[in-house]
Amino acid sequence: MSTHKLYLEALSALSGCNVEATTGPSQLTSQDFVNIVALREYYKQRGLKELPYESLGSLSLENVEDQDMYSAQLALTGEGPASSLKPTARINVQDFFHPEFNYDFTNIKDGDKTFLRGNEKYTRPCGWRRIALRVLEKYDNNHWLGTGTDAWPVSYHGHNMDGSLGIILTHKGSPDDNPSFLDASAASLRSPDTRGKGVYSTPDIKLAEKYCKTFKSSVDGKTYKVALQNRINPQKRKNCQREDIWVVYIPEDYTDPQRKAIVEEALRPYGLLLKQV
């Protein structure tokens, strides 16, 4: 059970919700978590303070989740001011996780080995532990999750992969460069199908790590980084100037349900990644 508590803390850190265990039906699916993580950053790009999400009401986009909480001790017990600003989401850990497909990459180094998913290079998350999510038979088929040519490529999503990555549309500088002067340049590169802000992810786990969430666990007192391992629909993404960033654009005039639908068409999570700091 303590292991499950650690996983719940990781989900809490990623989503900004208080994630608790339940023996009943899960309130959120694994797809909901990638929706929330991606749309949180999208709504921040738009300067909004809340993310409306069915079954949760409104999710605050303030930086409460970035406080050093002794992370989910507050979140899971409901104590303290941080948790009071967060909605609670309950999941059934037996239905949510798929331990048969867990994989520990902590001490693995791939070197020059090449792996493919969807006929594209797959950089495995070496140095991380992958906690598998139960996604088999959850979609119209399982081909997207395979290793063949019709599989979707792998992408990683860090908690803070937001609009600051607009820098990728203009030059190949460091992802830590100040993007404040680049907005006009980025806008000038838009075409009709890229008009609007979007959701970013990367095939490079090392880049995702720069933007991922860090939390201190109440289970073992250790500090962890957390990220999502996804598959991305190759027909829905756009290549940016930097080869290690993909963006899924969301048209400016779309409604909240349409924005959620775009994310669901483009990104499917299958692994929760943890790395001890």
Side-chain angles (χ1 to χ4, degrees):
M1 181 57 71
S2 61
T3 300
H4 286 155
K5 285 184 178 179
L6 174 62
Y7 300 167
L8 296 179
E9 289 181 344
L11 291 173
S12 296
L14 264 177
S15 65
C17 304
N18 298 324
V19 182
E20 301 178 354
T22 181
T23 56
S26 293
Q27 189 176 357
L28 296 177
T29 66
S30 55
Q31 182 65 56
D32 284 317
F33 277 94
V34 78
N35 293 349
I36 290 169
V37 172
L39 289 173
R40 279 180 63 88
E41 302 312 318
Y42 170 77
Y43 276 69
K44 284 184 180 180
Q45 292 174 47
R46 301 178 69 239
L48 301 178
K49 301 296 184 183
E50 292 185 335
L51 165 65
Y53 202 83
E54 59 186 358
S55 77
L56 289 178
S58 292
L59 184 64
S60 173
L61 302 182
E62 300 296 334
N63 290 327
V64 172
E65 74 277 7
D66 293 327
Q67 298 175 3
D68 184 6
M69 309 184 222
Y70 211 63
S71 169
Q73 180 174 2
L74 291 177
L76 296 178
T77 61
E79 299 174 0
S83 62
S84 66
L85 298 177
K86 297 180 177 184
T88 295
R90 296 176 175 84
I91 64 168
N92 186 315
V93 295
Q94 303 302 322
D95 294 337
F96 193 87
F97 298 110
H98 205 162
E100 178 184 349
F101 295 100
N102 288 356
Y103 201 94
D104 190 352
F105 292 94
T106 302
N107 298 311
I108 292 179
K109 296 181 180 179
D110 283 337
D112 295 330
K113 294 179 182 177
T114 299
F115 300 88
L116 297 177
R117 296 292 185 271
N119 228 18
E120 296 188 24
K121 183 178 179 181
Y122 165 38
T123 302
R124 301 201 300 175
C126 295
W128 296 72
R129 272 193 297 150
R130 182 177 67 206
I131 296 89
L133 307 178
R134 195 173 293 275
V135 293
L136 288 175
E137 313 302 336
K138 299 294 185 182
Y139 299 91
D140 50 354
N141 61 62
N142 295 323
H143 300 319
W144 64 278
L145 194 56
T147 60
T149 57
D150 56 349
W152 291 6
V154 174
S155 80
Y156 299 98
H157 199 110
H159 175 82
N160 293 315
M161 299 188 74
D162 59 14
S164 65
L165 289 176
I167 190 171
I168 61 182
L169 297 174
T170 58
H171 69 90
K172 298 190 177 185
S174 162
D176 297 322
D177 289 347
N178 186 342
S180 59
F181 66 96
L182 296 172
D183 292 343
S185 298
S188 71
L189 296 179
R190 292 179 185 168
S191 61
D193 61 344
T194 63
R195 188 170 292 115
K197 300 180 184 296
V199 172
Y200 299 91
S201 63
T202 174
D204 183 355
I205 183 59
K206 291 182 179 178
L207 180 58
E209 184 173 354
K210 294 182 179 180
Y211 294 93
C212 74
K213 179 70 178 178
T214 300
F215 70 98
K216 188 173 183 180
S217 173
S218 65
V219 174
D220 57 15
K222 297 175 182 178
T223 299
Y224 294 90
K225 294 179 179 179
V226 57
L228 285 174
Q229 186 176 30
N230 312 309
R231 296 296 184 97
I232 188 167
N233 187 334
Q235 314 239 335
K236 299 297 180 180
R237 70 184 175 187
K238 298 292 181 182
N239 290 328
C240 298
Q241 184 172 343
R242 281 184 52 168
E243 296 179 356
D244 53 358
I245 295 287
W246 291 321
V247 61
V248 176
Y249 285 97
I250 299 179
E252 295 172 341
D253 58 350
Y254 267 31
T255 63
D256 293 331
Q258 287 175 315
R259 293 165 185 153
K260 178 172 172 281
I262 285 233
V263 176
E264 292 183 342
E265 291 172 357
L267 289 168
R268 293 177 179 176
Y270 70 105
L272 177 70
L273 298 179
L274 288 174
K275 183 177 184 179
Q276 187 178 332
V277 177

